[in-house]
Amino acid sequence: AAAAAAAAAAAAAAAAAAAAAARAAYARDGVAVVRGVVSDGWIQLLRDAAEEAQDDPGESAQYLGAATDAATFFTDLEMARRLPSFAAFALHGPCAAVAAGVTQSNSVRYLYDQLFVKEHGVTLPTPWHQDGGYWRGEGGQPSSLFFS
């Protein structure tokens, strides 16, 4: 029991140190990398949901990439509005807490979600862009969360 309590305390201390480092990086650089916050259970749910999104694409869905590519490059928007698994992740997953913690905000508002499925073998590069021009909102601490 003492070993388990010590391990739990060490894990909590490591998580607190990682959170402090992420907040410092965000304050200094405007960006922070936070690893290990999306559990294996959520990852599996999202893998299955990505397949579902490709089987039932929305009106904004696109297949990208060269016709000669042997792999899939798919994108879609706002799946949480129509697919329950994405809605569950958006509303109950860890991302809001991570964004609030890193930005030291008292509240977080969900704006939208976007999916990119880019399999090994796609030759088209993903273009660099800024999301700010697409957002319909104002605020001093907008956050985008990316994970793979």
Side-chain angles (χ1 to χ4, degrees), residues 30-119:
V31 65
V33 175
V34 183
R35 300 186 191 282
V37 296
V38 180
S39 72
D40 290 343
W42 281 120
I43 290 170
Q44 187 57 53
L45 177 131
L46 291 171
R47 283 183 177 141
D48 295 343
E51 293 293 328
E52 182 182 3
Q54 291 174 79
D55 291 342
D56 183 19
E59 63 185 47
S60 298
Q62 296 178 4
Y63 281 92
L64 309 169
T68 56
D69 285 343
T72 299
F73 190 0
F74 173 83
T75 184
D76 202 354
L77 292 171
E78 299 182 344
M79 288 79 50
R81 292 182 183 218
R82 60 187 177 80
L83 299 174
S85 294
F86 282 103
F89 183 75
L91 297 174
H92 306 293
C95 293
V98 170
V102 169
T103 62
Q104 297 184 358
S105 179
N106 293 327
S107 64
V108 174
R109 299 190 189 280
Y110 172 81
L111 181 60
Y112 80 104
D113 55 82
Q114 185 168 8
L115 172 68
F116 289 94
V117 176
K118 187 174 182 181
E119 297 175 341

